Amino acid sequence: MDEYSWASAVGRIRVLEQRLLAEPEMRQFAESRSLQGALAALRDSLYGPYLEKLQDPGDFDQALEQALSDEYKMLMGMSPEPQAIMVFRARYDFHNLKVVARSNLLGMPWEEQAVSRMGNIIPGHVVELFAEEKSVTDPGQRYARGTAFLAGQPNIYVPNPTLASLVKGLLDAYDCVHAQDPLPSEPAAGLQMDADIDRAYYRWAAREIGRLGYGGLTMFFASEIDVLNLRMAVRAMRLGIPGALAGSLFLDGGRVEAQAVYGEYLNGLKGLKALYGRTPWADLAEEGVLLLERGGPLSGWERRSDNAFMGFLRKARYQALGPEPVFGYLYGRETEVRNLRVILSGKASGVLAQEILERLREPYV
């Protein structure tokens, strides 16, 4: 670990943060009279050059995705240890694995619009990897062949040793999903598959970040897991998933033990606030339980949980060294793109400005 080696990257991040869109700008876009008006208002932002290339304004999602992809490439290029950025980015590779696993389970082809192009590995290559390797039983041979296959593809953005680690993580996750029987009911089966792959991602990420030795990034992932488990507990309770089926839905690696969250689930979540009492999420836990008792919608609560996590991440802006400011900026940029998708989709569908604003997450700046 060498936090001082990040000094140059952090200096550049301070400049890049000035390009992030603040709440008043988001409100301006949301209050535009039309999709064309919102796109015109974005002309002078980071996204302007990407949106100008579109022949069809309705294809704005492609422009946003390309802008974010270019941000990743730039940050990996400026980082002294791009493996750290790769670990964050790999969540998209594991998301694409979910698409492959689900399509294989259902016996259907994977859907183009369901995959993300934000990962380290081109989505089609993830599909080809599992089609190529499913008949190979020797683990060492599978990992070697998988790494060689991907290393020979264009647009692979990680060095070979790190790529080998990522291939192993993906193959292990795929094996884990297909080695067990899915839960017998929907939506529990889909939740289980997603949780299994998420669990594989966070375990792999913990190993990689632990090897790099950055305590702040370890705390980032642990806190994210805490929020994910909290949301899963409340969502699963709303869906009425029986306790006997819910044990596999919670992720290890948080500051609150997964087994403890499961224990509270079995008790009806009444002690959830106390369980989260030493974390920043205690009030969120209490609010989630109250919503369950009253039968209220969870969408606003899940938005507030995102905002609370953003508040936690903003602390990275005050660190002078290390990769944490780069991670904070990345998360902020991703949230910004997510908000722009909500705004532009809402404009395209004629959604009222106030309804759009109610769906937005807090920006990083």
Side-chain angles (χ1 to χ4, degrees), residues 266-326:
L266 296 177
N267 291 328
L269 301 184
K270 295 181 179 179
L272 198 61
K273 180 181 179 181
L275 182 64
Y276 275 81
R278 295 184 179 181
T279 74
W281 329 117
D283 290 342
L284 279 173
E286 180 180 34
E287 184 182 353
V289 174
L290 289 175
L291 282 172
L292 287 173
E293 292 174 351
R294 298 169 183 170
L298 298 180
S299 56
W301 175 77
E302 293 191 337
R303 174 177 175 268
R304 287 186 287 278
S305 69
D306 287 339
N307 291 342
F309 189 64
M310 178 63 81
F312 167 80
L313 282 182
R314 285 196 191 101
K315 299 175 183 177
R317 296 185 67 193
Y318 303 103
Q319 291 191 226
L321 299 171
E324 290 82 4
V326 181

Side-chain angles (χ1 to χ4, degrees), residues 38 79 101 184:
S79 300

Side-chain angles (χ1 to χ4, degrees), residues 15 30 34 36 63 107 128-129 136 154 168 184 207 273 340 351 354:
V15 177
S34 64
Q36 288 74 14
E128 292 179 46
L129 170 65
V136 182
K168 184 178 187 304
R207 289 194 301 269
K273 180 181 179 181
L340 289 175
V351 178
Q354 187 57 39

Side-chain angles (χ1 to χ4, degrees), residues 99-114:
V99 176
V100 174
R102 193 180 293 271
S103 66
N104 288 353
L105 180 68
L106 298 175
M108 299 172 61
W110 63 288
E111 297 181 3
E112 183 77 21
Q113 64 270 25

Side-chain angles (χ1 to χ4, degrees), residues 44-75:
D44 295 329
S45 72
L46 166 74
Y47 309 96
Y50 297 92
L51 294 168
E52 288 177 357
K53 297 176 182 178
L54 295 178
Q55 294 183 351
D56 181 357
D59 292 336
F60 56 81
D61 197 62
Q62 297 178 16
L64 296 177
E65 190 171 68
Q66 186 59 54
L68 188 55
S69 178
D70 287 349
E71 288 284 288
Y72 265 102
K73 294 176 189 177
M74 177 185 64
L75 291 172

Side-chain angles (χ1 to χ4, degrees), residues 59-194:
D59 292 336
F60 56 81
D61 197 62
Q62 297 178 16
L64 296 177
E65 190 171 68
Q66 186 59 54
L68 188 55
S69 178
D70 287 349
E71 288 284 288
Y72 265 102
K73 294 176 189 177
M74 177 185 64
L75 291 172
M76 291 185 77
M78 75 166 64
S79 300
E81 290 183 302
Q83 305 96 302
I85 309 301
M86 185 275 273
V87 171
F88 187 91
R89 189 177 191 176
R91 61 187 60 208
Y92 294 107
D93 298 311
F94 280 82
H95 164 81
N96 291 339
L97 173 59
K98 291 180 185 179
V99 176
V100 174
R102 193 180 293 271
S103 66
N104 288 353
L105 180 68
L106 298 175
M108 299 172 61
W110 63 288
E111 297 181 3
E112 183 77 21
Q113 64 270 25
V115 299
S116 170
R117 288 156 186 79
M118 295 303 308
N120 299 284
I121 303 171
I122 295 172
H125 298 162
V126 176
V127 177
E128 292 179 46
L129 170 65
F130 292 103
E132 183 80 14
E133 301 302 317
K134 63 184 179 181
S135 62
V136 182
T137 57
D138 178 69
Q141 185 180 4
R142 293 176 73 221
Y143 302 145
R145 286 183 58 182
T147 304
F149 166 76
L150 290 172
Q153 305 297 328
N155 300 324
I156 298 299
Y157 310 122
V158 292
N160 201 57
T162 308
L163 177 62
S165 171
L166 178 56
V167 168
K168 184 178 187 304
L170 289 167
L171 287 169
D172 287 347
Y174 186 84
D175 290 343
C176 175
V177 168
H178 287 272
Q180 53 187 296
D181 296 327
L183 295 177
S185 64
E186 287 286 355
L191 287 175
Q192 182 195 48
M193 178 175 290
D194 287 350

